[in-house]
Amino acid sequence: MNQSTRTTATSEIITAALDLKPVEPLHHDLAFVARTQQCPWPKAYGGDVVAQATVAGIRSVDTERVLHSMHSYFLRPVDVDAEVRYEVEVLRDGRGYSTRQIRGYQSGKVVFVAIASFHSGESGREFAAPLPVGVPDPELVPSSAAYLEPTVPGTPEAGSMTVASKSYWSEGRGFDMRHVPGPVYFEVEGELTPMQAVWVRPFDELRPVDGLTPAMRDQAALAFVCDYTVLEPILRVLDLPWALPGLTTASLDHAMWFHRAGSMDDWLLYAQEAVTAHGGRGLGLGRFFTRDGRHLATVAQEGLIRAPSPIPPRAVRGHL
């Protein structure tokens, strides 16, 4: 496969999503508005909303306090064509910790709610989960664009993939993403394992964002990318590729812990696993590592996963 990145691929959509405008609050202490980024579906990408709420929370505390955890619920689908208002409630400012509640509003209704905690930082003993072994370097792994290039929308092999979703998966998400083992767009190749790893890196250098330091911007960008693939190990172990006609997925709730600061300038390894799947829901777990093994963040997310019935056998999916 040709592993080159298309010249139109850019990370600009990430920093555009993180650019929140202050407005007068209607419900709580501070307020911002933003627009989610375009995608091929009527509802916005969940990580877009998580990242924007992250920025709203960050901009409500003193700069020496750093976000260390955020717990979120997706209450309603977010329309990609309408503005989202983020209202921040100042719950507590203690000696070492600050707590905020962030609500996202659209069309007068609450669509998203999160609790975020910030820490002033202190010294202590250290431990971190180890970097997974045996994962090939990102330069040796095909990009999503390279993987998708041979498949033509509208053919049986493409399943439900359209021209728009192919472009989005290839270059429209701001990040170059490289799967180990291969991605689950059209089929789950090989063993139905509950594990995968994804190398992620912005297509180009992240641009400045008003109101954020580079470290704050990179933390928010990590929140932005976390939702794209964290449910995929569940799809992998259940043999449910993204383009399987009739498959329905949605983010339900989300938790993210930020352990250490890290730059988005180089590849990060997003090691992921399926924890459980039951009752039309699945729980995925992910850890972000730098190439040299620093554990930056941990993600847990539960999602709605509704499979079509009956599910076509693996042997005939490409011929339906």
Side-chain angles (χ1 to χ4, degrees):
M1 291 184 181
N2 178 10
Q3 297 187 30
S4 63
T5 301
R6 298 184 183 186
T7 56
T8 55
T10 175
S11 66
E12 187 173 7
I13 67 164
I14 302 166
T15 45
L18 304 182
D19 186 17
L20 274 61
K21 305 301 182 187
V23 295
E24 286 296 318
L26 298 178
H27 308 284
H28 299 292
D29 299 303
L30 297 93
F32 305 86
V33 293
R35 284 190 175 272
T36 59
Q37 303 310 294
Q38 290 295 314
C39 60
W41 303 281
K43 64 179 182 178
Y45 160 58
D48 205 332
V49 182
V50 172
Q52 291 177 347
T54 298
V55 173
I58 287 173
R59 291 179 62 175
S60 75
V61 299
D62 293 337
T63 56
E64 70 270 13
R65 300 209 168 187
V66 177
L67 177 66
H68 73 88
S69 70
M70 185 161 158
H71 300 261
S72 310
Y73 280 90
F74 302 87
L75 304 183
R76 293 180 174 89
V78 175
D79 183 357
V80 296
D81 294 320
E83 194 173 64
V84 183
R85 166 183 284 266
Y86 296 93
E87 296 256 353
V88 182
E89 182 179 4
V90 177
L91 296 181
R92 179 177 182 267
D93 282 316
R95 292 199 312 176
Y97 289 87
S98 293
T99 309
R100 302 289 188 264
Q101 184 173 76
I102 305 106
R103 294 183 179 93
Y105 293 84
Q106 197 174 67
S107 302
K109 296 180 179 180
V110 180
V111 295
F112 174 88
V113 63
I115 296 285
S117 182
F118 300 79
H119 187 205
S120 58
E122 57 189 82
S123 60
R125 294 187 177 187
E126 293 231 358
F127 169 79
L131 181 74
V133 298
V135 180
D137 291 338
E139 293 82 5
L140 303 177
V141 180
S143 66
S144 292
Y147 182 88
L148 291 162
E149 183 62 36
T151 306
V152 179
T155 62
E157 293 77 13
S160 63
M161 184 183 72
T162 63
V163 172
S165 61
K166 179 178 180 179
S167 176
Y168 180 71
W169 285 340
S170 297
E171 58 188 29
R173 300 186 287 183
F175 280 87
D176 189 346
M177 288 180 271
R178 305 189 175 199
H179 287 71
V180 181
V184 293
Y185 295 123
F186 312 115
E187 61 180 335
V188 179
E189 300 175 357
E191 182 183 358
L192 301 182
T193 173
M195 313 284 287
Q196 72 172 23
V198 185
W199 287 104
V200 299
R201 185 179 68 176
F203 281 121
D204 52 15
E205 185 176 351
L206 291 180
R207 294 147 183 81
V209 178
D210 287 344
L212 301 180
T213 65
M216 294 171 179
R217 176 205 61 198
D218 287 2
Q219 192 175 42
L222 201 62
F224 182 94
V225 74
C226 72
D227 187 25
Y228 279 127
T229 56
V230 70
L231 296 181
E232 287 185 350
I234 306 165
L235 301 183
R236 187 179 295 277
V237 76
L238 297 180
D239 196 21
L240 298 172
W242 284 116
L244 180 66
L247 175 67
T248 301
T249 65
S251 301
L252 296 174
D253 58 87
H254 172 98
M256 191 166 187
W257 297 266
F258 299 89
H259 312 304
R260 297 165 183 84
S263 172
M264 300 297 294
D265 293 338
D266 197 4
W267 291 101
L268 299 179
L269 183 68
Y270 195 7
Q272 303 165 343
E273 62 182 282
V275 178
T276 185
H278 176 73
R281 303 184 314 277
L283 179 64
L285 181 68
R287 296 181 177 94
F288 283 100
F289 297 90
T290 61
R291 292 187 74 162
D292 61 1
R294 294 179 63 245
H295 182 193
L296 301 186
T298 300
V299 179
Q301 181 161 306
E302 187 178 42
L304 168 73
I305 298 178
R306 289 180 179 152
S309 181
I311 300 175
R314 301 182 81 191
V316 301
R317 286 183 191 172
H319 306 283
L320 295 178

